[in-house]
Amino acid sequence: MASERDEFADLVERIARHRDREAFGRLFDHFTPRLEAYLIRLGSDAGSAEELAQEAMVTLWRKAALFDRTKSSVGTWLYRIARNRRIDAHRRNRDAALDPEEPLLQPSAPEDADEIIDARRREDKIRVALAVLPPEQIELVRLAFYSGLSHSQIAEQSGLPLGTVKSRIRLAFSRLRKALEDDGLTEF
């Protein structure tokens, strides 16, 4: 096998130095079907595998002078080139599949300054209203709305009965609604 490895490296050297078509033909005939099979094992369809294997061989022709027999075998070098071509093709296809007009890819419209100010005022009023709640109600509201826990998860975490959790949260909302309505904030 070592002699075959040296023979392939000699063929690449002939391509690099003399643009030897016969040497290229021998390498092409030997490696192209192997590269195609390798690419198919990696998940490429037969047509893509054939195209990518040919691209790898064209790279061999163009960049034969870059091959270094002390760093790898010709086969290892070609398999690496083929694998990289496959990765590049996959990236191109994935990027091409994105529709630049897709609404999700469009920047959102800037928020209206009045809406930003109104939202901040609303947040400030809610913060003030929360501050007047008893600590046990504040904690349950925090767990429900800031941590996103369900009533049963809160009951489990806090050790309180489920009915107590529900009634405290309901009472907290009643107090918050009243405080916010007194401040003229009806959206809650």
Side-chain angles (χ1 to χ4, degrees):
M1 192 68 167
S3 64
E4 186 177 73
R5 180 179 174 151
D6 290 337
E7 180 186 348
F8 292 146
D10 291 342
L11 291 173
V12 173
E13 195 171 293
R14 285 173 41 193
I15 295 168
R17 289 185 180 167
H18 310 291
R19 290 298 202 211
D20 188 323
R21 292 177 185 267
E22 180 193 339
F24 180 74
R26 287 177 57 196
L27 289 170
F28 189 93
D29 291 344
H30 179 81
F31 282 106
T32 302
R34 288 167 175 80
L35 291 173
E36 287 179 26
Y38 169 70
L39 292 163
I40 288 171
R41 280 195 311 274
L42 291 179
S44 295
D45 61 76
S48 296
E50 180 181 2
E51 186 176 319
L52 292 168
Q54 289 178 7
E55 284 182 28
M57 296 308 295
V58 168
T59 301
L60 165 71
W61 176 259
R62 290 182 181 153
K63 299 188 178 190
L66 298 177
F67 174 71
D68 183 351
R69 69 171 70 210
T70 63
K71 292 184 179 178
S72 72
S73 69
V74 174
T76 301
W77 188 56
L78 284 171
Y79 284 107
R80 188 177 304 121
I81 291 169
R83 188 200 70 202
N84 291 343
R85 291 281 185 253
R86 181 179 178 273
I87 291 168
D88 292 343
H90 178 72
R91 286 181 182 147
R92 277 192 307 272
N93 289 339
R94 188 182 67 214
D95 291 344
L98 293 177
D99 178 7
E101 299 303 316
E102 170 67 38
L104 291 174
L105 298 178
Q106 300 301 315
S108 57
E111 285 189 64
D112 182 32
D114 290 338
E115 289 178 16
I116 294 171
I117 292 170
D118 288 345
R120 286 189 183 145
R121 285 184 185 151
R122 197 170 31 252
E123 289 170 9
D124 290 342
K125 289 179 182 181
I126 291 172
R127 218 175 279 112
V128 168
L130 279 170
V132 298
L133 292 177
E136 65 273 1
Q137 289 178 359
I138 292 173
E139 179 61 18
L140 296 179
V141 169
R142 186 187 65 75
L143 290 171
F145 293 95
Y146 295 112
S147 298
L149 299 179
S150 68
H151 290 166
S152 55
Q153 289 171 322
I154 294 169
E156 186 178 308
Q157 184 173 327
S158 66
L160 295 171
L162 180 60
T164 303
V165 169
K166 288 181 178 183
S167 64
R168 284 186 183 172
I169 290 175
R170 197 171 22 253
L171 181 59
F173 270 100
S174 175
R175 288 181 175 172
L176 286 172
R177 188 172 291 115
K178 172 87 171 98
L180 295 172
E181 284 173 355
D182 291 345
D183 277 345
L185 185 63
T186 56
E187 298 171 11
F188 178 67

